[in-house]
Amino acid sequence: MKACLQRSLGPASVVWRLVLAAVLWSALVAAALAWWGVQPPLLTHVLHTVLVAAGVVALFYAGVGRHLWRIARHLRTPSAPGQAPAALRLRRREPWRPDELSHLVTAIGQMQQAQWQAAETARERAHELERELAQRQRIESRLHVMATVFESSREAIVIADHANRIIAVNEAFTRLTGYTPAEVLGRNPRMLSAGMTPSEVYQAMWRDLGAHGCWQGEIWDRRKDGSIYPKWLSINTVRGPTGRISHYVAIFSDISERKEAEEKIYHLAHHDSLTGLANRMSLSLELNVAVRQAAHNRQRLALMFIDLDRFKEINDVHGHDVGDRLLVAIAARLREAVRHGDTVARLGGDEFVILLRQVHGRDSAQQVAEKVRQALEQPCDIDGLTLRTTASIGLALYPQDGESAEQLMKSADTAMYHAKAVGRNNLQFYTLGLEQALLERVQLVADLRHALVAEQFVLHYQPQFDAATGRLDAVEALLRWRHPAQGWVAPGRFIPVAEQSGLIGDIGAWVLGQACRQWRQWYEQTGRPDLRVAVNLSAAQLASDGFIEQVDHLLRWHGMPPECLELEITESMLMEDVEQNVERLGALRERGVKLAIDDFGTGYSSLSYLRVLPIDALKLDRSFVHGVETDAGNAAICKSIIALAHNLGLHVVAEGVETEAQRAFLLSQGCDRLQGYLLARPMPPAELRQHAAFP
Ligand SMILES: Nc1nc2c(ncn2[C@@H]2O[C@@H]3COP(=O)(O)O[C@H]4[C@@H](O)[C@H](n5cnc6c(=O)[nH]c(N)nc65)O[C@@H]4COP(=O)(O)O[C@H]3[C@H]2O)c(=O)[nH]1
């Protein structure tokens, strides 16, 4: 009720209360006075007084009270946040000069403005503080993160001041270098250097740091324990507000393992995995560099292509394991045979290349090549097996045989093919006509391959006579090739090519079959069962699988007694793999097939082998026979060979008998059989049938 009354009375309640109190007081006083018998004039005075008082109060209210009430209301009304307080205006006409209320309003306005500004300043400051606090928190959290990164980093971190004195290092630094922070703080990072990094690297580092503020690269440092390691280092500069360098931050890691892996990969990519020699790629790189240097320094180079002779046979017979070990042994010999600065490479298979740097000329290259050839000729002991191999070597010289790496390789390769073609185990220099010769050879191989199917081969037969009786004892089958364009091609020209190209297997099988068939025909025509047919045999043929079975089959098929077949194998071929050949020849001999060593005396066989070889006859080479008339030495050799053969129970067949004197000499020495142009040339079977001596 009271509150309701207060509200209804409003802000002017004090004035109204005064007016009400004055009226009530006047009424009370009037009533009391009336009670006590006070007469009207007094009552009227009192009432007048009361009315005057009420008027005064009303006037006071109108002139001051309501303004005070407005001021109070203004002061109670809060201004909107962020807004300046509204100006206080009284509802009155402004006096012509400021009165107390004007002063009060002005003072209140100033006070409120000041208060508002103070509040605004405080608020802004509070915001600022809030911002600062947030920023500080952010900085602190970043510093925390950075400190964690710094300490937990797996990479070593070094922070140095502007004078490059270490001011902080992390744990990884201690782990990596072995130095504790106390041992390095205040010192120059130079203390870590192993002294192995070229000074140009440091120069470039300082140049880059000055120009770009960063540098990274590889340098070699030394740990506290003295061990040296390569590290990958990144340095950044930190600049202060003035722009001058205030700090250096270096991050590094040990890259020994990475370098080892890189080196391993490099080695694998550049070296032959079996022998450890340089591989084709590495050789090509080195040769290119060597050629450029040689051109610049006006030096000579020699490139040697080496191909092992008949390595494939060793592989086939003894297995790849043995073959691999032989290659490793050969690689070691090659390395030993040349100087440290020369490059020895394996191109694959049994092909090796040696790059000789700074050779003085053809002679010195030849000397080294000869040394290499002889080194490879020595027998190799692999797991108790004595293996022999020889090499065909091609040589090309820079600059005359090729001014580029490619040309030089091609020339040396061509020379090596030539070395193979002229009979293996020799060395040949590149010459201008070689390419043409090689092309011709390639064509010859293609023609030979075709010759067999095109039936371009025929056999001619040369009689061999019993020296004492003059009776036709045997005939030697000699291969003839009628080339469609070139006419008759000499066996001396195409047999070696057939041997090197592997075609001799098929050709030899055809010869053997044809000779046996011919024997059968003669047998049927003459009824003479003891005529012997001699057939030349290549080493590859003898070594080929199934050769013995092939002989068995032919003898059976043609009903030919084994002793009517004589197989001739040259001395040099026989010596290539004595052990295996002895075994195979033994098997043939057991069957009764006759065996003869062809061109005896021209090879390098040890005479002691003659005792173990399962043979029946020696064929005295015609070079000795030719010399018997004029050369006492040759005569002595013939004499000795015949005597030796007889001592060993062997027959001797002299080939190439061209003169009566030769025949007389051979007869006098007890030679068993004679063959030569003096007696009969090789001829086709039809012609032989007409020969006087033919049965
Ligand atoms: N100067 C001269 N030469 C004479 C005389 N008597 C014979 N000749 C020749 O001497 C060679 C004898 O054959 P070879 O020593 O086995 O030498 C043969 C043999 O090693 C090889 N050959 C021939 N036919 C075959 C064959 O079917 N298979 C194999 N693997 N090699 C063969 O080719 C070589 C050469 O054969 P050809 O040219 O037929 O040459 C033949 C023959 O024509 C003579 O009095 N004076």
Side-chain angles (χ1 to χ4, degrees), residues 66-307:
R66 70 187 176 105
H67 295 306
L68 290 176
W69 173 79
R70 192 172 178 79
I71 289 167
R73 200 177 64 174
H74 173 80
L75 288 173
R76 274 202 303 272
T77 309
S79 54
Q83 276 184 11
L88 173 60
R89 285 191 210 293
L90 298 181
R91 283 195 193 143
R92 64 170 188 157
R93 192 179 298 133
E94 280 302 312
W96 62 275
R97 59 174 210 167
D99 58 2
E100 288 77 8
L101 275 175
S102 305
H103 285 302
L104 182 61
V105 166
T106 309
I108 286 173
Q110 284 172 345
M111 185 196 75
Q112 275 195 313
Q113 193 61 32
Q115 255 182 355
W116 179 77
Q117 267 174 355
E120 275 304 296
T121 313
R123 204 168 56 236
E124 268 173 26
R125 183 77 194 121
H127 274 145
E128 219 169 88
L129 280 174
E130 261 174 41
R131 274 200 305 274
E132 269 177 26
L133 193 68
Q135 194 167 350
R136 183 162 296 179
Q137 277 172 347
R138 273 200 306 276
I139 290 171
E140 271 176 14
S141 116
R142 265 175 63 187
L143 280 175
H144 178 69
V145 171
M146 279 156 68
T148 311
V149 170
F150 182 75
E151 278 311 334
S152 62
S153 166
R154 290 184 61 210
E155 301 198 303
I157 304 176
V158 176
I159 302 174
D161 65 10
H162 67 284
N164 207 17
R165 285 177 300 237
I166 298 175
I167 58 168
V169 291
N170 66 350
E171 276 178 30
F173 171 88
T174 304
R175 264 201 315 275
L176 206 150
T177 64
Y179 288 108
T180 62
E183 288 169 321
V184 296
L185 290 184
R187 300 187 63 184
N188 193 301
R190 187 186 311 132
M191 65 169 284
L192 303 170
S193 168
M196 280 169 58
T197 310
S199 59
E200 299 82 58
V201 174
Y202 290 114
Q203 283 162 12
M205 178 175 97
W206 287 112
R207 208 173 38 241
D208 280 10
L209 284 176
H212 312 296
C214 60
W215 178 86
Q216 56 178 9
E218 191 183 306
I219 63 171
W220 288 85
D221 273 6
R222 192 189 298 276
R223 293 190 187 87
K224 190 180 169 188
D225 64 10
S227 57
I228 289 170
Y229 66 101
K231 74 183 192 186
W232 184 256
L233 172 65
S234 302
I235 309 179
N236 280 281
T237 57
V238 180
R239 290 185 185 269
T242 58
R244 301 183 69 173
I245 293 174
S246 62
H247 294 90
Y248 296 94
V249 180
I251 302 177
F252 60 86
S253 53
D254 180 350
I255 53 168
S256 313
E257 278 179 21
R258 195 182 84 191
K259 273 191 88 72
E260 264 170 41
E262 277 172 7
E263 273 163 25
K264 221 173 186 172
I265 290 168
Y266 181 89
H267 189 87
L268 283 176
H270 290 78
H271 290 82
D272 169 47
S273 56
L274 177 68
T275 60
L277 296 178
N279 64 8
R280 186 183 287 274
M281 186 173 94
S282 182
L283 172 74
S284 163
L285 290 173
E286 290 196 26
L287 185 58
N288 273 293
V289 173
V291 164
R292 273 201 300 278
Q293 282 174 350
H296 184 260
N297 304 331
R298 294 177 171 279
Q299 285 168 338
R300 287 160 194 261
L301 299 171
L303 195 66
M304 210 188 290
F305 255 64
I306 302 160
D307 191 280

Side-chain angles (χ1 to χ4, degrees), residues 462 476 479-480 491 511 536 538 598 622 655-656 658 676-677 682:
Q462 185 176 28
E476 181 179 1
L479 185 59
R480 298 290 179 260
V511 171
N536 289 287
S538 285
D598 206 357
R622 60 178 175 273
E655 63 179 9
E658 290 182 353
Y677 292 169

Side-chain angles (χ1 to χ4, degrees), residues 625-644:
V625 175
H626 285 180
V628 291
E629 298 158 280
T630 50
D631 186 335
N634 267 356
I637 290 173
C638 284
K639 247 180 175 170
S640 314
I641 291 176
I642 294 167
L644 176 81

Side-chain angles (χ1 to χ4, degrees), residues 372-569:
V372 166
R373 195 192 64 75
Q374 283 172 11
L376 297 186
E377 214 178 29
Q378 301 309 311
C380 260
D381 186 27
I382 309 280
D383 285 351
L385 268 175
T386 305
L387 298 177
R388 280 167 199 276
T389 178
T390 55
S392 301
I393 301 176
L395 273 162
L397 300 173
Y398 173 86
Q400 58 263 48
D401 299 336
E403 292 192 357
S404 68
E406 293 73 33
Q407 189 53 50
L408 213 53
M409 290 277 278
K410 219 173 133 210
S411 300
D413 196 21
T414 305
M416 187 274 290
Y417 271 101
H418 181 55
K420 279 240 177 277
V422 297
R424 301 189 169 104
N425 193 19
N426 72 107
L427 57 100
Q428 296 290 326
F429 275 93
Y430 174 80
T431 55
L432 263 183
L434 270 190
E435 260 118 7
Q436 185 56 32
L438 266 178
L439 278 178
E440 283 171 11
R441 194 172 169 277
V442 169
Q443 186 57 49
L444 196 68
V445 172
D447 292 349
L448 263 181
R449 194 162 275 130
H450 178 65
L452 205 56
V453 267
E455 298 183 349
Q456 291 167 3
F457 290 122
V458 290
L459 286 185
H460 284 187
Y461 297 88
Q462 185 176 28
Q464 293 176 357
F465 298 93
D466 185 295
T469 64
R471 188 170 180 256
L472 179 76
D473 242 8
V475 288
E476 181 179 1
L478 292 163
L479 185 59
R480 298 290 179 260
W481 177 21
R482 194 175 20 220
H483 191 279
Q486 299 175 25
W488 291 108
V489 184
R493 202 178 139 215
F494 71 84
I495 295 279
V497 177
E499 279 172 346
Q500 285 146 23
S501 60
L503 290 171
I504 196 68
D506 289 344
I507 296 174
W510 178 85
V511 171
L512 194 61
Q514 186 62 21
C516 292
R517 190 174 303 120
Q518 186 58 63
W519 178 90
R520 178 75 203 181
Q521 236 179 44
W522 285 328
Y523 171 68
E524 283 169 6
Q525 287 165 3
T526 63
R528 183 179 159 178
D530 59 342
L531 182 69
R532 192 178 294 168
V533 176
V535 176
N536 289 287
L537 206 62
S538 285
Q541 228 180 319
L542 181 64
S544 66
D545 288 340
F547 176 70
I548 308 277
E549 291 73 14
Q550 185 194 356
V551 173
D552 282 343
H553 168 76
L554 285 172
L555 295 178
R556 252 198 329 272
W557 184 258
H558 295 293
M560 184 176 180
E563 57 278 8
C564 287
L565 178 64
E566 186 167 78
L567 297 175
E568 295 182 7
I569 182 160

